Amino acid sequence: MSRAALRFAPLGAWLLLGCSGAPTSEPLGTAAEAVFGGTPAPDDTSVVAVVNFSGGQCSGSLIASNLVLTARHCVADTQEKDVKVVCGETPFKAPDSAGAIFVVPVPTITEDPDDYRAVAEIRMAADQDADLCGTDVALLRLKKPLTELTPLEPRVTKPVVADEPYSSVGYGVDESLTDMPSGERKRLDALNVTCGGSSCQAPDVRDNEWIGSGGPCPGDSGGPALDAKGRVIGVVSRGKAGCTEPVFSDVASRADWLQSEAILAARAVGQEPPAWACDATHSCAAPPDDEPKETCSFAPPSRGGVARHGWLAALLLLWRRGRGSSVRPKRSR
């Protein structure tokens, strides 16, 4: 039977899945890894960290000034988070509060509250299945646009093909180094798409997913696979033990949703939608009454006027203590 084993490690484990031939269950150890052997990537400024104070740390891609693409399991638990998960039988729970999730758009995760950008809403495609396989994608709409950064472009018009090169970028712990540093944006190039969808002949890979040759590990969940032109072609979902055969959520198969959401996000802050969102089906010149239909949105609860830096500083203090002892966030990614 094909199974995915879900465990949790400091600073962000991912979903563990057997992905080649007849997939098998494999245990994930207690140590987390990052883009294994990657190099610091200070210039990949639109690859951001996603810190969930209800759950742990992930990665993501800024695809519009106020919109971050990441993995669904970074913002929502599954029904049985501490046991093996069978694709098709283990659904996601409701998302965590958007008020607990922050985007950190700097090369290294810090404890400076000014580096943490608040999330206004978690956006998910309407009417999608709760099964973790094939649905492991979410969008974070920010409270304030990151106008100082140039967003990445999702490749919405061309699906990936076998042997296509890609690069992986993310923020996990790098076990290739003795001191296992964490929280730094790293990049690994010269990777290749192995297969996509049914061509993978793996029961736990859906038609809107693909397998890569390597790169991402825990803490890189939600981070991008970038094509030769720097466009986002995949979102890290899960993989096998040892950071091999990662499964990515495909971007091109979600083009309609991503384009509609980018247009909505731009109009929410009075900006022009990004060029990649506009085509014959998605008119960026449409009047407000003609806007695309809203998809599922999860807004944070009111915080009763508490100063942002005050409660965020308290959360950072608790997180720092947890990283330095056996006390950990409720869930890691």
Side-chain angles (χ1 to χ4, degrees):
M1 179 181 294
S2 176
R3 294 180 181 270
L6 179 60
R7 300 288 181 83
F8 301 98
L11 294 182
W14 60 352
L15 303 177
L16 191 70
L17 174 69
C19 300
S20 62
T24 57
S25 299
E26 299 179 63
L28 181 64
T30 58
E33 299 135 277
V35 174
F36 191 88
T39 57
D43 295 332
D44 286 303
T45 55
S46 288
V47 178
V48 298
V50 176
V51 175
N52 181 351
F53 285 100
S54 291
Q57 173 229 306
C58 279
S59 303
S61 304
L62 186 74
I63 59 171
S65 66
N66 62 336
L67 201 61
V68 171
L69 177 63
T70 190
R72 185 177 177 181
H73 77 260
C74 294
V75 297
D77 265 329
T78 57
Q79 292 289 353
E80 299 293 340
K81 66 184 181 188
D82 289 325
V83 298
K84 293 177 181 177
V85 178
V86 180
C87 289
E89 298 181 17
T90 305
F92 279 111
K93 294 181 180 179
D96 295 320
S97 168
I101 301 167
F102 292 82
V103 166
V104 186
V106 293
T108 302
I109 298 174
T110 73
E111 295 171 358
D112 183 349
D114 287 328
D115 289 337
Y116 287 67
R117 309 303 175 91
V119 170
E121 296 176 90
I122 299 169
R123 310 284 296 181
M124 294 183 185
D127 302 323
Q128 70 177 353
D129 197 294
D131 179 24
L132 65 89
C133 297
T135 69
D136 200 9
V137 172
L139 287 167
L140 308 178
R141 192 184 286 187
L142 304 179
K143 285 189 176 181
K144 294 182 179 180
L146 290 170
T147 55
E148 67 273 25
L149 300 180
T150 300
L152 293 167
E153 176 185 343
R155 198 175 81 186
V156 295
T157 58
K158 182 181 178 183
V160 298
V161 295
D163 297 325
E164 177 177 355
Y166 71 90
S167 300
S168 183
V169 188
Y171 280 84
V173 178
D174 189 348
E175 273 200 347
S176 71
L177 302 177
T178 303
D179 58 348
M180 294 187 293
S182 65
E184 180 180 13
R185 186 196 298 133
K186 289 191 174 184
R187 177 184 181 122
L188 187 63
D189 299 312
L191 300 164
N192 295 92
V193 175
T194 301
C195 61
S198 60
S199 67
C200 295
Q201 299 183 339
D204 282 331
V205 177
R206 302 297 189 245
D207 287 341
N208 59 358
E209 298 175 329
W210 55 271
I211 296 176
S213 62
C217 283
D220 299 316
S221 290
L226 304 175
D227 71 3
K229 294 183 178 180
R231 297 173 296 184
V232 183
I233 56 174
V235 179
V236 178
S237 176
R238 57 196 186 276
K240 294 180 70 174
C243 304
T244 61
E245 299 184 34
V247 177
F248 293 84
S249 298
D250 179 58
V251 166
S253 62
R254 296 171 169 84
D256 181 72
W257 174 62
L258 291 172
Q259 289 173 286
S260 296
E261 284 292 336
I263 293 170
L264 287 168
R267 289 178 179 164
V269 291
Q271 295 181 345
E272 289 294 320
W276 60 265
C278 310
D279 57 22
T281 304
H282 304 84
S283 174
C284 292
D289 290 343
D290 236 3
E291 288 184 347
K293 184 179 179 181
E294 289 277 358
T295 55
C296 297
S297 168
F298 301 89
S302 170
R303 296 197 171 270
V306 178
R308 181 176 76 90
H309 279 199
W311 63 263
L312 179 53
L315 286 173
L316 286 168
L317 177 61
L318 291 172
W319 192 42
R320 181 174 69 239
R321 288 175 177 171
R323 294 174 71 183
S325 70
S326 60
V327 178
R328 300 293 180 187
K330 179 186 71 177
R331 181 175 67 260
S332 297
R333 306 295 183 189

